[in-house]
Amino acid sequence: MHAVRRHILEILKESGGATVAELAERLDMAPVSVRHHLDILQGDNLIKVGRIERTGSVGRPQQIYQLTDDADELFPNNFALLATSMARQIKQILPPEQVEAVFHSLADEMIAEVDVAALAALPLAERLDRVIDFLNERGYLARWEPCVGDGDSYMLYKHNCPYAGMAGEHRELCMMDQMLIDRLVGAHCDRTTSVANNDRCCTYRIDGESRGIPVDLTLRPQEILVAA
């Protein structure tokens, strides 16, 4: 990003909002040049006119520029570090069965957003389309395709791991994802590759013969972790 535009974002982050005149003074630039950069930032949906203020009873109202939610994502955060530390603390403090219960509950919380019964009533291809939409809304970069030479089986691919950097140390996240996929598809899906094992993507095979077989929710997470 252009250094001036980056500086404008930093000023708005620090101040909570600023006018063209205030930005020009902070940047030691002509207002017309500042407006040029503001136009670009607005076009990129990084800033917005948050409000309009008038100083005194005369003169033109002043537009107050503020950051958008998209701009906040450009600033560093410690979410990954915090999540990793919290997972480590949970595993140090709680016994294994309670750790498993925590991650199982996280999978349940995510699946609660879906009408699983309605999903299960759909033809498998349509169901997989819905599953892919659900996963991609959460950053998994997923897709599915029929198995070559076996039209009754399918492969589901997740090309992005939202927990990259954590799953290698905390395989419970792989277990949580496995439970999530199984519940969405409606049958146990055999994971054949895993990003946590340095594979290019996570791959799940869905055999036609397993369709309609209820997912065994009593399957112990340790059994899934072995496959990870």
Side-chain angles (χ1 to χ4, degrees):
M1 177 181 290
H2 193 283
V4 171
R5 292 194 279 278
R6 180 71 191 186
H7 196 184
I8 288 173
L9 296 178
E10 291 171 351
I11 293 172
L12 296 179
K13 182 73 170 178
E14 175 188 336
S15 64
T19 65
V20 171
E22 290 167 340
L23 289 169
E25 182 178 357
R26 289 283 300 272
L27 296 166
D28 193 23
M29 293 176 61
V32 65
S33 298
V34 173
R35 291 186 187 279
H36 166 72
H37 292 290
L38 292 175
D39 288 342
I40 294 175
L41 290 171
Q42 276 190 293
D44 292 338
N45 196 37
L46 297 176
I47 65 170
K48 62 184 179 182
V49 177
R51 62 185 188 276
I52 298 176
E53 292 183 352
R54 182 187 296 275
T55 56
S57 58
V58 296
R60 295 177 57 187
Q62 298 293 306
Q63 294 179 323
I64 309 297
Y65 290 91
Q66 296 176 328
L67 298 181
T68 64
D69 291 340
D70 288 353
D72 282 333
E73 297 178 3
L74 298 177
F75 292 89
N77 64 66
N78 289 322
F79 291 156
L81 176 61
L82 175 62
T84 301
S85 298
M86 290 180 67
R88 188 179 298 120
Q89 289 295 319
I90 287 173
K91 292 165 68 173
Q92 289 177 354
I93 294 172
L94 298 179
E97 62 273 13
Q98 291 186 25
V99 172
E100 295 167 5
V102 167
F103 285 93
H104 199 152
S105 295
L106 289 172
D108 286 342
E109 186 174 309
M110 286 188 281
I111 205 71
E113 303 176 30
V114 179
D115 186 339
V116 177
L119 193 62
L122 297 173
L124 185 54
E126 187 175 348
R127 189 189 320 164
L128 288 174
D129 284 339
R130 300 285 184 88
V131 171
I132 294 303
D133 288 343
F134 178 90
L135 294 173
N136 286 339
E137 287 172 0
R138 288 152 184 81
Y140 283 92
L141 195 59
R143 64 181 179 86
W144 71 272
E145 65 184 18
C147 290
V148 177
D150 185 355
D152 205 31
S153 296
Y154 305 85
M155 302 299 291
L156 189 154
Y157 304 96
K158 296 188 308 180
H159 292 277
N160 181 57
C161 176
Y163 318 111
M166 289 184 62
E169 179 181 354
H170 303 293
R171 291 304 179 96
E172 293 83 1
L173 291 165
C174 296
M175 172 266 292
M176 181 182 72
D177 262 8
Q178 178 76 62
M179 288 192 289
L180 179 65
I181 296 295
D182 289 352
R183 291 281 299 278
L184 290 170
V185 173
H188 178 64
C189 305
D190 182 28
R191 182 167 54 218
T192 58
T193 67
S194 172
V195 171
N197 291 338
N198 297 317
D199 294 315
R200 184 175 57 85
C201 65
C202 292
T203 305
Y204 301 80
R205 182 183 175 93
I206 306 159
D207 288 322
E209 62 184 18
S210 69
R211 286 179 289 175
I213 300 176
V215 178
D216 181 7
L217 299 181
T218 65
L219 180 67
R220 292 190 59 78
Q222 295 100 315
E223 300 174 25
I224 301 175
L225 287 171
V226 170

